[in-house]
Amino acid sequence: MSKLRLRQAMPALFTAAALLMLSACGQTEYPNSTFTRITDFNTAIDSLWERLLFWGTIVFVVVEAALIFTIIKYRKRPGGPEAKQIHGNAVLEITWTAIPALILVLIAVPTVKTIFQTQAPAPAGSIRIQVIGHQWWWEFRYPDLGIVTANEVYVPIGKTASFELTTKDVLHSFWIPQMGGKRDLITNKTNYMWFTPNADLGTQAYNGFCTEYCGASHANMRIRLFAVQQDEFERWAKHQAKPAVFNPKAAAMAAAAPATPVRAASNTQGGAVAAAEPAVDTSGYMFPAEKLPAHVIPQTPFPAGLEYDDALLAGGDATRGATQGFLVGGCIGCHAIDGVPGAISQTGPNLTHVASRHTIASGLYRMDGPSLARWIKNAPHMKPGSLMWTIGRGEYDPVLKTTQKAGLDDRQIADVVAYLLALK
Ligand SMILES: [Cu+2]
């Protein structure tokens, strides 16, 4: 290609490149972008970013224009004069030192102001949420509300959520991009972060991530944050603070009794009639499944080679799962269920209201029977490095490098799944 043709093609190439960049701007949805203004934290960050971009653009344009102008105007021409040799120019040197210094001040002042603003102690009356990092899941505790949960965190709109961040093992980093900046979870030190979802924000779900490399399943250590209305949060919190809602005794009685509708408490005949104890109490609030945006719904496929017959799930018995599977199968060794005697271990996620979550395995799979069954059967196969060991009888544990000789068979797993799905 001759020089001339290249020169002619340049405008077209520039136009194509500009259009390509503009087409990226045209996409409206950036579900994991931090450039939002839906919390006070991100509004501060975004204002700062725009200011830096403004000054950065001016510097770029001025410098590039001066450069191009100089190159063209003072280029070497055939027969042109020899360049003038000079030794320093005090005025010019002071100017090109002073202008960048001034620009740096214009950048530094708002930057430092934003750092102080976002690092200040949380306002009084904030909702305290303790975040504890684990390989590879998140524990969330609301110490003032008596709630312990995992991987999914609820915050009320218009109120400040104050996070206290620590880790049980290695370093992790907590980041919900749409809500605020990321902050590390460090051993033997508590870090703090807070943000306030805007009061006019609708009930919405957001993604969160671990952003500090922490081992095999670092990429599978995800968070869901649900920003909900104040009354929804209160209903959620009240329910989450209760002990487990599935009552194996009531369920067993209901199964044995003839199919009559459960009668509510009434005293129409003068004497109090005891209400039948419900097997499951589902009075709480849960972010509605139909409102979940696509980007928070896990799409992880089941790994090849992990077989489970989903038809078995229909025969799962929650009572049997509670009394035999959960207690005998080893679950109780690592998982707490509030209200179940002996189920107090804090090694794994608290399962008290596990079925009120939309995901399992730290946001990796959906909360449903097929995912739970495979997870129980062989968690390390489902999630590389998982510290939950293989429960399925005859399954090979890729972490322990042994075959599970005891454990649960597929029918027993179906029972445990039925039990877990009853823990609304
Ligand atoms: Cu990590």
Side-chain angles (χ1 to χ4, degrees):
M1 187 185 265
S2 72
K3 262 189 190 169
L4 187 72
R5 275 171 66 191
L6 185 67
R7 212 180 275 179
Q8 280 169 339
M10 281 313 265
L13 283 173
F14 270 120
T15 313
L19 282 174
L20 195 70
M21 280 192 272
L22 277 174
S23 71
C25 301
Q27 289 166 18
T28 47
E29 203 186 337
Y30 294 97
N32 298 327
S33 168
T34 199
F35 298 114
T36 70
R37 296 203 175 196
I38 58 173
T39 65
D40 47 0
F41 196 128
N42 267 6
T43 302
I45 299 284
D46 199 44
S47 322
L48 182 63
W49 154 249
E50 282 191 358
R51 188 182 282 235
L52 297 193
L53 190 66
F54 174 77
W55 287 111
T57 306
I58 288 182
V59 169
F60 176 80
V61 169
V62 170
V63 169
E64 292 305 306
L67 185 67
I68 291 167
F69 173 78
T70 313
I71 290 172
I72 294 171
K73 185 160 167 57
Y74 299 105
R75 69 186 185 277
K76 188 174 165 76
R77 292 183 175 90
E82 184 78 7
K84 201 172 122 195
Q85 302 298 313
I86 55 161
H87 184 78
N89 184 324
V91 176
L92 197 61
E93 284 166 24
I94 290 170
T95 310
W96 78 41
T97 306
I99 291 175
L102 183 72
I103 291 169
L104 284 180
V105 169
L106 291 172
I107 288 171
V109 170
T111 303
V112 173
K113 221 176 99 186
T114 306
I115 290 172
F116 276 91
Q117 187 188 337
T118 54
Q119 294 272 357
S126 306
I127 299 217
R128 281 176 65 210
I129 305 171
Q130 294 167 337
V131 181
I132 304 158
H134 296 258
Q135 283 175 314
W136 288 275
W137 59 281
W138 301 87
E139 185 174 347
F140 295 109
R141 294 171 170 260
Y142 296 68
D144 302 326
L145 302 172
I147 298 169
V148 182
T149 183
N151 303 322
E152 297 187 6
V153 58
Y154 281 67
V155 295
I157 284 154
K159 211 160 173 190
T160 305
S162 172
F163 297 90
E164 303 167 12
L165 310 138
T166 55
T167 171
K168 267 275 155 66
D169 37 55
V170 299
L171 306 190
H172 303 279
S173 190
F174 179 76
W175 194 28
I176 295 154
Q178 297 252 0
M179 292 280 131
K182 55 183 94 158
R183 200 141 295 169
D184 285 1
L185 283 68
I186 298 171
T187 319
N188 295 334
K189 182 185 190 300
T190 304
N191 272 347
Y192 298 89
M193 187 180 69
W194 54 268
F195 52 71
T196 319
N198 293 351
D200 57 355
L201 195 66
T203 296
Q204 192 52 275
Y206 301 94
N207 283 324
F209 310 90
C210 178
T211 51
E212 176 77 48
Y213 181 68
C214 58
S217 263
H218 161 65
N220 303 323
M221 189 171 164
R222 306 173 195 171
I223 303 162
R224 298 291 185 275
L225 179 135
F226 300 109
V228 298
Q229 308 302 318
Q230 185 69 38
D231 62 314
E232 294 168 337
F233 179 79
E234 277 161 20
R235 274 164 56 211
W236 174 81
K238 204 173 148 206
H239 185 74
Q240 294 288 318
K242 288 182 194 169
V245 292
F246 177 72
N247 184 336
K249 218 172 89 187
M253 279 165 63
T260 47
V262 172
R263 197 139 55 100
S266 88
N267 57 357
T268 45
Q269 293 174 15
V273 178
E277 234 180 317
V280 183
D281 165 12
T282 54
S283 59
Y285 171 83
M286 178 179 175
F287 187 91
E290 64 277 9
K291 278 181 100 178
L292 287 173
H295 57 262
V296 307
I297 300 171
Q299 305 293 341
T300 321
F302 294 142
L306 178 52
E307 304 299 336
Y308 187 87
D309 179 7
D310 291 331
L312 292 173
L313 292 168
D317 182 292
T319 305
R320 221 162 45 211
T323 53
Q324 296 169 25
F326 187 80
L327 297 177
V328 180
C331 318
I332 197 169
C334 295
H335 294 284
I337 295 184
D338 194 12
V340 175
I344 52 165
S345 173
Q346 294 176 12
T347 307
N350 185 301
L351 301 180
T352 305
H353 296 284
V354 65
S356 71
R357 299 173 201 153
H358 287 291
T359 60
I360 65 165
S362 207
L364 194 54
Y365 295 99
R366 297 172 203 198
M367 166 62 72
D368 56 24
S371 302
L372 275 172
R374 286 165 179 79
W375 179 256
I376 295 166
K377 188 164 181 175
N378 199 338
H381 201 151
M382 291 280 274
K383 182 169 172 173
S386 168
L387 298 183
M388 168 160 160
W389 64 72
T390 300
I391 306 288
R393 195 177 300 164
E395 281 287 305
Y396 180 76
D397 188 316
V399 173
L400 300 176
K401 302 203 187 314
T402 54
T403 298
Q404 175 62 268
K405 294 208 175 56
L408 303 176
D409 65 27
D410 285 3
R411 277 172 205 286
Q412 291 171 309
I413 287 175
D415 292 341
V416 177
V417 170
Y419 173 49
L420 295 179
L421 288 177
L423 297 175
K424 291 280 183 195

